[in-house]
Amino acid sequence: MYRAHTTLPRGERDDLRTVRGLLPYLWPYRKRALLALGFLLLAKLATVGVPLAFKGIVDHLEGAGEGAVTVPVALFLGYGALRLASSAFNELRDALFARVRHGAMRQASEQVLDHLHGLSLRYHLERRTGALSRDIERGTRSLSSLLNYLAFSILPVLAEFGLVAVILLSGYDPLYTLITFGAVAVYIVSTFLITRWRMVFRARMNALDSQANARAVDGLINYETVKYFGNERHELAHYTEHLRDWEEAAVRSQTSLSLLNVVQGAVIAVAVTAVMLLAGRGVAQGELSLGDLVLVNGLLLQLFLPLGFLGIVYSQLQHALSDLDAMLRLLEREPEIRDRPDAAPLRLDRGTVRFEHVAFGYQPERPILDDVDFAIPAGRKVAVIGPSGAGKSTLARLLFRFYDVTGGRITVDGQDLREVTQASLRAAIGIVPQDTVLFNDTLYYNIAYGDPRAGRERIERAARLAHLDAFIATLPDGYDTVVGERGLKLSGGEKQRVAIARALLKDPPIMVFDEATSSLDSESERAILSALAEAAERRTTLVIAHRLSTIVDADQILVMDQGRIRERGRHAELLATDGLYASLWRLQQEDRGDAVTAQSPAPGSGE
């Protein structure tokens, strides 16, 4: 697993640190990588041997008599064998390294997704899905690119530099080496300077690309809202604005790349011309053979051809480092809520839940809960009501430990939630949320999500208890019906029934109903309330409610306002006090236009 030793300020980048970040992904494939590098060196030896063999052929043909025909044949065969060996070793290198490259990509993708699931709710509420998905995509792709550049471009060129230097220094005037590697130095320095300058355009181009993609994804996710208000042109205008800025940055990036290529081409042209003039003069003066001229020309071509590509490689390497750095920074982000080192699994006895003088605020300057103190005895049902913004739904988030309380504590069977593992805590709680979000998969998959190990019989039973089976029977594909992005193909009531079925399938000892029937019509609500009552039976149940008629049978009702509990008691007791609860009850009865008796069983639903 990747773990950074230091975290850089946002906007700065340490390339050495980023490259070190590759090592954990390569380590499982180290033997295969070393073998691939061995084939790389063999391929370069064969490649450099080709002009040497060609020199021998030219020299022999230049001075050989009629009786020496067999020697050129052997040299020609050697020449062909070297070319074949160069190609074969390169292919073997590619085949071996494929597992390294794709395996590293797979590990990185798995780790990033696992890390994202481990981050806290606050991060996911603030993130932009489109920009994040594009950054992850570029990050994993850049990992593959970096490995490719290192293994197939940079290391081969370095190996070739060394071999060419040995040949030139051992057989020719040092001036050849000086001109050749002097040109290489100028080439590298100019490439570095120009590329560093143009990286600003590339970075802006990437940022605008992420922004445009985030805008497009946001509009598509909220497709219905866009349609409700007829804001298609408005969304397109925002997207176009980002794309126009991206276009300008992309044009600047391309024109600066063209400048870089011109400078690189000029350096190579001057160097090759100077060396060939020097070699041509040596042949004219009888100091070199015609084969030497061919050899020098062949070496220069072999050296400068990959070097010409190295300019593009360096530019792309900088882009890849930038993209990979963004992904590694994401991996450095620490979860806000973490298990303590000594955290133990939750030990369930009866499932008693206590909120002990709890205080909490999403921001320090804006408190949400203040001295909230109540208990839900095992097997009992406590309902929480109150106006919007009273902090009711926050109670459920704290119970799941999506956030930690800032004051007081929450316990289950006497165990502070901060002292137990998050996985064991959440395994013990089921929820029917107010806003049900489904996966873009089948109805069967979405119901089975409550317990992926459940068999079909249990899943169909949960659907029946949630009164979903009759609806499923009307669908041509039945349980195999795909519900669409976030369940958009289903109505609000149908989605809520899927959530109820999912919770029933999980079958936890503690249940939370957060406005569990808010999207149902009265007839469907009455039918499902009996199922929910059965589900709540013998379970510790927290009901966050808006419709008071659904929680009249609660063992205790808490009335919250502005983050504090203002009233508490049973339905009849609260009506008798003629306080806030009684006022809300009368308003809802007037809205319904008829009195609702307190006889119908209901586990409740919540906000």
Side-chain angles (χ1 to χ4, degrees):
M1 296 284 285
Y2 170 81
R3 285 291 180 269
H5 299 291
T6 57
T7 301
L8 293 175
R10 189 171 182 86
E12 296 183 21
R13 199 183 84 215
D14 183 343
D15 290 344
L16 182 59
R17 165 184 158 280
T18 302
V19 172
R20 283 201 306 267
L22 293 175
L23 297 180
Y25 303 114
L26 292 176
W27 187 250
Y29 308 101
R30 57 192 180 279
K31 293 180 181 178
R32 182 180 285 266
L34 288 173
L35 188 57
L37 291 177
F39 282 124
L40 183 153
L41 291 175
L42 289 174
K44 284 303 166 188
L45 283 170
T47 300
V48 172
V50 169
L52 288 171
F54 198 46
K55 165 183 159 50
I57 293 170
V58 172
D59 284 344
H60 181 81
L61 292 177
E62 184 184 16
E66 293 182 1
V69 178
T70 56
V71 178
V73 170
L75 287 173
F76 275 122
L77 290 175
Y79 176 85
L82 286 170
R83 282 201 169 277
L84 177 62
S86 175
S87 175
F89 286 135
N90 276 327
E91 293 303 322
L92 285 170
R93 174 204 63 185
D94 293 354
L96 280 169
F97 205 74
R99 177 69 66 183
V100 179
R101 181 161 57 94
H102 295 297
M105 285 183 69
R106 175 187 57 79
Q107 286 187 84
S109 299
E110 290 174 354
Q111 185 181 354
V112 170
L113 183 61
D114 181 59
H115 185 72
L116 285 171
H117 279 300
L119 291 179
S120 304
L121 179 63
R122 192 189 304 274
Y123 169 80
H124 288 283
L125 292 177
E126 294 173 353
R127 66 175 165 80
R128 300 196 72 181
T129 306
L132 179 64
S133 64
R134 187 61 62 92
D135 287 343
I136 295 171
E137 176 192 349
R138 282 202 300 255
T140 52
R141 191 173 61 232
S142 68
L143 176 62
S144 173
S145 299
L146 277 173
L147 293 177
N148 269 351
Y149 296 147
L150 289 171
F152 302 152
S153 299
I154 298 173
L155 291 178
V157 168
L158 292 175
E160 201 154 2
F161 277 5
L163 294 172
V164 170
V166 168
I167 294 171
L168 291 178
L169 288 171
S170 62
Y172 299 93
D173 190 304
L175 189 56
Y176 287 90
T177 306
L178 182 63
I179 293 174
T180 300
F181 288 95
V184 168
V186 172
Y187 182 97
I188 290 175
V189 170
S190 61
T191 297
F192 176 79
L193 292 175
I194 296 174
T195 302
R196 294 282 294 197
W197 164 66
R198 65 182 299 271
M199 275 302 296
V200 176
F201 305 129
R202 177 70 183 197
R204 177 165 171 75
M205 184 177 149
N206 280 352
L208 290 167
D209 179 50
S210 291
Q211 290 173 19
N213 188 66
R215 187 74 204 191
V217 171
D218 280 351
L220 293 174
I221 287 176
N222 295 288
Y223 172 84
E224 286 186 85
T225 304
V226 173
K227 288 293 184 184
Y228 287 150
F229 294 95
N231 278 339
E232 295 90 344
R233 306 306 301 176
H234 175 74
E235 289 297 318
L236 182 61
H238 276 289
Y239 183 58
T240 301
E241 182 181 350
H242 288 305
L243 282 186
R244 282 175 180 158
D245 292 339
W246 170 84
E247 180 184 3
E248 288 301 315
V251 169
R252 287 177 178 268
S253 178
Q254 183 57 51
T255 52
S256 60
L257 177 61
S258 298
L259 174 63
L260 175 64
N261 291 337
V262 168
V263 171
Q264 292 169 344
V267 172
I268 293 172
V270 170
V272 171
T273 302
V275 170
M276 291 307 295
L277 283 172
L278 192 62
R281 187 182 67 177
V283 173
Q285 294 176 352
E287 298 171 358
L288 300 177
S289 68
L290 192 59
D292 289 317
L293 179 65
V294 171
L295 174 62
V296 170
N297 180 66
L299 288 176
L300 286 174
L301 288 176
Q302 286 188 182
L303 186 64
F304 280 114
L305 280 177
L307 190 62
F309 182 67
L310 188 63
I312 299 174
V313 168
Y314 179 76
S315 176
Q316 295 299 318
L317 191 64
Q318 290 295 311
H319 302 158
L321 285 169
S322 179
D323 293 339
L324 183 62
D325 180 68
M327 186 183 78
L328 296 184
R329 284 179 185 272
L330 175 62
L331 290 173
E332 287 174 354
R333 184 182 286 270
E334 295 290 345
E336 180 184 349
I337 307 301
R338 306 188 69 173
D339 288 342
R340 292 181 179 179
D342 59 345
L346 178 68
R347 301 182 311 277
L348 274 170
D349 179 18
R350 302 182 63 196
T352 299
V353 176
R354 281 197 62 89
F355 281 69
E356 301 178 7
H357 305 286
V358 168
F360 174 75
Y362 294 105
Q363 291 90 31
E365 66 277 6
R366 183 171 172 260
I368 301 297
L369 301 178
D370 180 21
D371 195 29
V372 173
D373 190 88
F374 68 92
I376 312 176
R380 299 297 181 88
K381 178 171 62 180
V382 169
V384 182
I385 69 154
S388 296
K392 304 185 298 297
S393 290
T394 300
L395 297 176
R397 289 179 170 181
L398 293 176
L399 181 58
F400 272 91
R401 206 187 163 209
F402 289 151
Y403 300 92
D404 275 337
V405 298
T406 54
R409 67 174 191 158
I410 304 173
T411 65
V412 173
D413 285 336
Q415 300 158 83
D416 192 318
L417 301 191
R418 293 167 292 193
E419 297 175 357
V420 301
T421 61
Q422 295 175 70
S424 65
L425 170 67
R426 291 166 191 161
I429 309 172
I431 187 168
V432 180
Q434 178 182 9
D435 182 19
T436 302
V437 178
L438 304 181
F439 294 93
N440 190 7
D441 209 306
T442 63
L443 275 167
Y444 185 91
Y445 176 86
N446 277 285
I447 297 172
Y449 206 77
D451 182 1
R453 297 166 298 180
R456 191 174 187 91
E457 184 179 342
R458 283 187 57 205
I459 291 167
E460 291 181 353
R461 179 177 179 275
R464 284 195 303 273
L465 289 173
H467 293 256
L468 195 62
D469 54 332
F471 163 69
I472 294 174
T474 66
L475 300 172
D477 295 325
Y479 281 91
D480 295 326
T481 301
V482 176
V483 302
E485 187 90 23
R486 297 171 63 87
L488 286 176
K489 293 183 180 179
L490 302 183
S491 70
E494 289 158 357
K495 285 195 293 184
Q496 207 152 44
R497 293 186 206 194
V498 173
I500 293 168
R502 199 156 56 185
L504 293 172
L505 183 67
K506 185 177 182 181
D507 194 24
I510 302 170
M511 289 287 281
V512 177
F513 297 103
D514 188 359
E515 198 69 72
T517 60
S518 61
S519 297
L520 301 178
D521 56 72
S522 298
E523 183 179 349
S524 298
E525 182 183 54
R526 282 195 297 271
I528 288 179
L529 284 177
S530 60
L532 293 184
E534 183 181 338
E537 208 171 297
R538 299 180 304 279
R539 288 184 176 86
T540 305
T541 307
L542 173 64
V543 180
I544 300 166
H546 173 69
R547 296 180 186 174
L548 304 188
S549 60
T550 63
I551 48 93
V552 293
D553 66 333
D555 297 295
Q556 186 178 45
I557 298 171
L558 307 176
V559 183
M560 292 189 66
D561 188 26
Q562 297 181 348
R564 297 180 67 90
I565 298 175
R566 304 297 181 180
E567 300 174 12
R568 67 177 77 205
R570 296 181 67 90
H571 173 68
E573 296 168 353
L574 291 172
L575 287 180
T577 60
D578 199 24
L580 180 58
Y581 180 84
S583 175
L584 291 172
W585 176 264
R586 284 193 295 271
L587 284 173
Q588 290 196 10
Q589 296 312 297
E590 290 171 5
D591 288 341
R592 291 183 61 173
D594 60 340
V596 178
T597 62
Q599 276 87 35
S600 57
S605 56
E607 172 196 19

